[in-house]
Amino acid sequence: MGKALDGVRVLDMTHVQSGPSSTQILAWLGADVIKLETPGRGDITRGQLRDLPGVDSLYFTMLNANKRSITLNMKSEQGKQVFEQLVSSVDVLVENFGPGVVDRFGFPWERLAELNPRLIYASIKGFGPGRYADFKAYEVIAQAMGGAMSTTGFEDGPPTATGAQIGDSGTGIHLVAAILAALYQRTGSGRGQRVQVAMQDAVLNLCRVKLRDQQRLAHGSLNEYPNDVFGDEVPRSGNASGGGQPGWAVKCAPGGPNDYIYVIIQPVGWQPITELIGKPELAEDPDWATPEARLSKLDKAFGMIEEWTEKHTKWEVMEALNAHNIPCGPILSTRELAEDATLAELGTVVEVEHPERGAFKTVGCPLKLSDSPVEVERSPLLGEHNSEVFGELGYGADDLDRLRAAGVI
């Protein structure tokens, strides 16, 4: 069976996380992703956060599956000539360098479009044009400037970063959507185009409900928030759901750091909850029976639920609540996720063999297409596919020897 992106060829000039997370999804969907790296060093993450000396780090291996690796010195004239051939042979070029880096190599968008009029040139930057355009951006900077940190944490605490990589991998997923849209448009227009996603924009897109609530503040307090006082900015609201159905993380036995379960109280769920917690009379009590009656004392409602959950494990609570169709979710640690048999069966977490590090676990493709199944393959060694890829461009063994001797590859 073919893959969704069979025949699509991608030149991947990305590094670290935001870009590689994007091109990895393209590779999982069947694109031929050729990762272009600096000779001798490669993507900086090959050597970052190493757990084994002299072996590509998990940081690298978990972001570069199913790709081919080539090395090319973009500062050499011969390297630039080879690059022109590469650009002419691909459908998509992806990069996440700082602003202007590819231009300084001598390849602004106009030159790339001249080399390949059908090229989709996709970029991730920290910020869009304007005041912040030349600022450096990293994961938590994007969270800070995209609205996530100011609205994450508890009211009496500092702004807090989320463990989800919404700045890097979140932007990468946005770029996948943009690339696929551009490829689809090209089927009709025959032309490539420039595609750009800013990390700040992607984070704000994921925080849109907070921008919604900022505007609602003009008309009064946000009743679904647990906060007592509201100013002119959306406050941090702890573990409140922020939606129409109130939720909170409550403690479970035996009381470890992740022995919690997140519970949402829907109107239809209140009656079975009162029975489970041993207070069935609250189902008919006018002070508790309706969402409006509970709204001003949600802390007490979840406090009563917690008195019950603290006597049971989060798994026992999950089973009991789900038996009554009450939305809930145990707080799963990274260890529990890595060892979860269901996630392994679904391919959400997969084990991959690597020639230098042996077996390791990584995430599987989150996009499930019935006609484009994904088998996660290991990340490439640095320059592993030089002979293969450059051979496809017409370079013979003697040519490659000369390029190596000159430090071009």
Side-chain angles (χ1 to χ4, degrees):
M1 183 180 293
K3 298 291 186 70
L5 295 182
D6 273 350
V8 174
R9 196 171 166 97
V10 179
L11 184 58
D12 179 4
M13 297 179 70
T14 67
H15 59 290
V16 193
Q17 184 181 164
S18 64
S21 68
S22 180
T23 52
Q24 179 169 259
I25 289 178
L26 297 176
W28 279 338
L29 294 177
D32 176 16
V33 177
I34 301 166
K35 187 174 179 71
L36 190 157
E37 303 183 72
T38 303
R41 188 193 75 177
D43 187 324
I44 193 172
T45 59
R46 286 185 183 270
Q48 283 186 333
L49 306 177
R50 273 184 170 146
D51 56 324
L52 295 172
V55 176
D56 286 341
S57 71
L58 288 166
Y59 195 4
F60 178 85
T61 62
M62 294 177 71
L63 285 160
N64 292 281
N66 296 61
K67 302 178 184 179
R68 298 195 287 172
S69 170
I70 62 172
T71 53
L72 187 65
N73 181 357
M74 288 289 294
K75 295 181 180 179
S76 71
E77 286 306 313
Q78 282 181 288
K80 290 177 181 179
Q81 292 171 13
V82 175
F83 180 72
E84 289 184 358
Q85 291 179 267
L86 282 166
V87 168
S88 300
S89 71
V90 300
D91 298 283
V92 184
L93 186 156
V94 189
E95 59 91 14
N96 64 333
F97 292 114
V101 170
V102 178
D103 290 22
R104 290 193 290 275
F105 283 141
F107 295 97
W109 164 234
E110 294 76 16
R111 176 59 180 148
L112 293 171
E114 183 180 282
L115 289 167
N116 184 350
R118 291 176 54 82
L119 181 70
I120 310 298
Y121 177 23
S123 301
I124 288 176
K125 302 301 174 195
F127 308 95
R131 179 181 179 184
Y132 311 126
D134 294 327
F135 289 12
K136 288 184 176 180
Y138 289 85
E139 170 63 46
V140 183
I141 291 174
Q143 290 191 31
M145 296 184 68
M149 287 188 70
S150 68
T151 56
T152 302
F154 286 83
E155 187 175 22
D156 57 354
T160 305
T162 174
Q165 303 290 283
I166 61 175
D168 279 326
S169 288
T171 306
I173 293 169
H174 281 78
L175 190 69
V176 169
I179 290 170
L180 296 180
L183 284 169
Y184 181 76
Q185 187 172 12
R186 193 183 70 174
T187 62
S189 70
R191 298 192 308 275
Q193 62 182 293
R194 191 80 168 88
V195 171
Q196 299 184 72
V197 178
M199 295 171 69
Q200 183 183 36
D201 295 358
V203 171
L204 182 55
N205 186 44
L206 297 173
C207 293
R208 70 178 69 185
V209 296
K210 300 302 182 181
L211 193 59
R212 172 202 68 190
D213 292 346
Q214 176 63 39
Q215 296 169 88
R216 291 174 60 222
L217 276 174
H219 305 287
S221 299
L222 306 174
N223 292 329
E224 75 279 9
Y225 281 61
N227 309 66
D228 294 324
V229 179
F230 290 88
D232 59 0
E233 298 174 334
V234 174
R236 291 184 278 283
S237 55
N239 287 321
S241 69
Q245 310 294 336
W248 200 255
V250 291
K251 297 177 184 177
C252 297
N258 289 302
D259 288 322
Y260 286 80
I261 190 167
Y262 197 86
V263 179
I264 290 178
I265 303 175
Q266 292 179 318
V268 296
W270 179 245
Q271 188 270 334
I273 285 175
T274 62
E275 293 185 2
L276 286 169
I277 67 176
K279 300 180 185 294
E281 68 277 5
L282 297 182
E284 302 298 333
D285 187 331
D287 288 337
W288 291 96
T290 66
E292 292 75 20
R294 294 190 293 272
L295 196 58
S296 63
K297 43 185 180 287
L298 286 174
D299 56 338
K300 294 183 178 63
F302 284 109
M304 290 188 293
I305 293 171
E306 190 168 72
E307 289 176 5
W308 169 68
T309 60
E310 283 184 306
K311 301 171 186 174
H312 308 277
T313 69
K314 60 189 179 185
W315 302 107
E316 292 169 341
V317 174
M318 180 187 74
E319 293 293 339
L321 292 176
N322 272 289
H324 294 279
N325 204 29
I326 296 166
C328 65
I331 308 304
L332 299 184
S333 71
T334 49
R335 178 178 178 178
E336 288 170 318
L337 290 167
E339 297 175 353
D340 190 294
T342 298
L343 296 183
E345 184 179 342
L346 293 172
T348 303
V349 176
V350 299
E351 188 167 271
V352 178
E353 286 288 339
H354 189 276
E356 295 180 343
R357 80 163 32 254
F360 69 95
K361 289 186 178 181
T362 187
V363 296
C365 182
L367 310 181
K368 310 297 185 184
L369 282 68
S370 63
D371 286 355
S372 188
V374 175
E375 182 177 346
V376 177
E377 301 172 359
R378 68 168 176 86
S379 59
L381 303 177
L382 180 61
E384 180 178 349
H385 301 95
N386 277 351
S387 297
E388 186 175 296
V389 173
F390 293 129
E392 292 166 2
L393 295 178
Y395 289 86
D398 292 341
D399 300 317
L400 295 176
D401 287 341
R402 285 193 291 272
L403 291 174
R404 289 190 189 95
V408 177
I409 62 173

